[in-house]
Amino acid sequence: MRRWTVLGLVVCVALAGILGAGYAQAPRVIRIGVVVSATGPAAALGIPVRNAFLLYEELFRDAIPGHRIQYIILDDATNPTLAVQNARKLIAEDRVVAIAGSTVSVSALAMVDVTGEAGVPQMAMGATQNIVHPVDEKRRWVFLLPQTAASAIQAVTLDMRLRGIRTVGYIGFNDVWGEEWWTSLSQAAPNLGIRVVANERYARADTSVTGQVLRLLAARPDAILIGASGTPAILPHRTLRERGYRGIIYHTHAVGDPDVLRVGGKDLEGALLPVGPAVVADQLPDNHPSKRPALEHKRIYESRYGPGSVSQFGAHVHDFWLIVRPALERALRRASLDNLPAFRAALRDEIEATRNLPGAHGVFTYSPIDHLGHRFEYSNVFVQVQGGKLKLLRTFLPRQ
């Protein structure tokens, strides 16, 4: 009897040791919030981002020793009010260390007040400059991943000059995205001797732009820039062609998505647009600093979602991971996850410390006065829709 008692104690001690060791090795969960427009008019932008986060969590959740990355993904339905509600929930209830999103500029901008007041790093995927500029008390918590309109317009107007365009008309969204492209065009074009002869607007959910197109045609521009994003950008393009316009049509980099090309079909043939390098990864010259990370993202994404599935938007997740992973590792050495406000502040500081990091969409360098992070030469390339695909026409790499 005594022998069994002793044996039982030994077994209990061993089990306790095993369970204790298992408990000690349980990874600490690092929760990161994600807000995307996976439904609504901007779904073509949000779905690839959502898909990429799901895939990257599956592949890299244990990349930081002793920790597990968990993405909590919420859909804002292309609604800024819902984006703000999502951000508040992620911060207060899910206690995330950072938020990625939203994927639409107007929603990402609306979230700035929430993340700035709460002191939570936000990696925005909308491309409007005023999401992060100027870097004031709230915006010091916000960093941008995409190229801005002010950057991409340089690629557009350069192509206009090379093609001898003298006049251009504009039609864009009646929101912050359309306004930023209008402002960028109206400032850049005159410097190159290009006259802007028309300015029209429409809503993302509109089903007709006939009136606006008729006024554009009356102005007889050599070219037209459509300041829109996702599949709603197709409506004015298609209407222009149906009404007989034969001039050159430009788009923004928020159209560089396979779903947009599929829905637009032959109507989009010949369209010209700037995109990030990741969109044409396998067409980049070997000396482009984004070629290697862009091909890596392409390999990862297409292994799950199929050939030709890479888009402008999903690649932002690759850059998010390249920036945030080392920032998390450095922040963990400075602050404890048990003190969430201090850890969020340390993470913010470490993201801002990112320097000369080659990503799929350019080379990232943030600073206390610059949360855009991009240089035009590395973050923009220029393409044309040919045969339903994007064909690289030129890069803007500095001459060696």
Side-chain angles (χ1 to χ4, degrees):
M1 182 67 182
R2 185 178 180 183
R3 289 180 60 189
W4 280 109
T5 303
V6 171
L7 180 60
L9 286 172
V10 171
V11 170
C12 288
V13 169
L15 285 173
I18 293 171
L19 292 173
Y23 177 79
Q25 293 172 0
R28 289 290 307 269
V29 176
I30 299 175
R31 296 186 181 89
I32 297 174
V34 179
V35 180
V36 298
S37 299
T39 57
L45 285 64
I47 289 174
V49 173
R50 180 200 62 192
N51 291 346
F53 270 115
L54 290 171
L55 178 58
Y56 277 59
E57 180 182 64
E58 179 182 325
L59 296 177
F60 304 118
R61 65 180 58 166
D62 298 321
I64 299 177
H67 297 81
R68 173 154 295 178
I69 304 294
Q70 179 186 11
Y71 295 118
I72 302 173
I73 305 174
L74 301 178
D75 177 17
D76 66 22
T78 322
N79 182 333
T81 301
L82 189 52
V84 169
Q85 293 174 3
N86 287 342
R88 294 192 189 283
K89 177 185 181 301
L90 290 166
I91 293 169
E93 298 179 21
D94 299 307
R95 296 176 59 80
V96 299
V97 300
I99 294 178
S102 177
T103 46
V104 177
S105 292
V106 64
S107 296
L109 183 61
M111 291 166 57
V112 169
D113 285 343
V114 180
T115 55
E117 290 173 359
V120 177
Q122 177 186 349
M123 302 295 287
M125 297 183 182
T128 302
Q129 181 170 286
N130 58 3
I131 294 172
V132 293
H133 183 78
V135 184
D136 54 20
E137 197 58 31
K138 291 180 180 176
R139 288 176 174 82
R140 67 186 294 272
W141 292 91
V142 188
F143 301 85
L144 211 63
L145 288 165
Q147 306 84 348
T148 64
S151 171
I153 194 67
Q154 297 180 58
V156 173
T157 51
L158 176 61
D159 187 85
M160 289 179 178
R161 187 180 68 176
L162 293 173
R163 294 175 188 273
I165 301 296
R166 303 291 298 274
T167 58
V168 60
Y170 177 80
I171 179 170
F173 286 154
N174 60 353
D175 61 19
V176 64
W177 183 241
E179 186 62 27
E180 176 142 325
W181 271 91
W182 161 250
T183 301
S184 299
L185 175 67
S186 58
Q187 291 176 350
N191 294 332
L192 298 176
I194 301 168
R195 190 160 56 93
V196 185
V197 295
N199 175 18
E200 297 290 338
R201 302 304 174 88
Y202 71 108
R204 292 174 186 261
D206 281 355
T207 57
S208 174
V209 290
T210 300
Q212 295 94 320
V213 163
L214 291 176
R215 288 191 289 273
L216 280 170
L217 295 177
R220 303 174 64 84
D222 295 335
I224 292 174
L225 170 62
I226 299 175
S229 65
T231 51
I234 299 170
L235 177 63
H237 190 120
R238 181 169 286 155
T239 306
L240 281 163
R241 292 305 189 211
E242 289 173 349
R243 293 286 172 170
Y245 183 69
R246 294 293 176 264
I248 297 171
I249 299 178
Y250 292 89
H251 283 271
T252 76
H253 53 308
V255 176
D257 181 86
D259 273 352
V260 179
L261 298 181
R262 177 182 57 77
V263 175
K266 64 180 181 181
D267 291 332
L268 290 182
E269 277 297 304
L272 296 162
L273 62 152
V275 294
V279 180
V280 287
D282 49 7
Q283 299 179 54
L284 295 173
D286 290 340
N287 65 337
H288 199 294
S290 285
K291 181 155 189 173
R292 183 174 177 180
L295 286 173
E296 176 66 5
H297 170 70
K298 177 182 169 68
R299 182 189 65 77
I300 293 171
Y301 196 87
E302 291 189 345
S303 69
R304 175 61 54 85
Y305 299 110
S309 58
V310 166
S311 74
Q312 170 83 21
F313 313 103
H316 294 315
V317 178
H318 190 75
D319 290 340
F320 171 90
W321 180 238
L322 292 178
I323 294 167
V324 170
R325 175 184 173 174
L328 279 170
E329 292 173 332
R330 295 193 298 268
L332 285 167
R333 293 195 287 269
R334 292 180 47 194
S336 168
L337 286 167
D338 294 327
N339 186 344
L340 194 54
F343 186 81
R344 288 166 171 168
L347 179 58
R348 189 217 74 87
D349 293 346
E350 296 301 340
I351 293 172
E352 191 177 76
T354 301
R355 300 283 189 278
N356 299 315
L357 176 67
H361 274 309
V363 179
F364 289 86
T365 294
Y366 297 123
S367 77
I369 59 172
D370 180 8
H371 284 193
L372 293 171
H374 284 290
R375 283 183 57 185
F376 167 76
E377 297 84 359
Y378 298 128
S379 60
N380 292 274
V381 299
F382 204 74
V383 301
Q384 184 173 39
V385 179
Q386 295 183 9
K389 298 181 179 179
L390 296 176
K391 171 70 175 176
L392 178 66
L393 297 185
R394 69 179 62 90
T395 72
F396 303 96
L397 292 175
R399 292 182 179 179
Q400 300 296 319

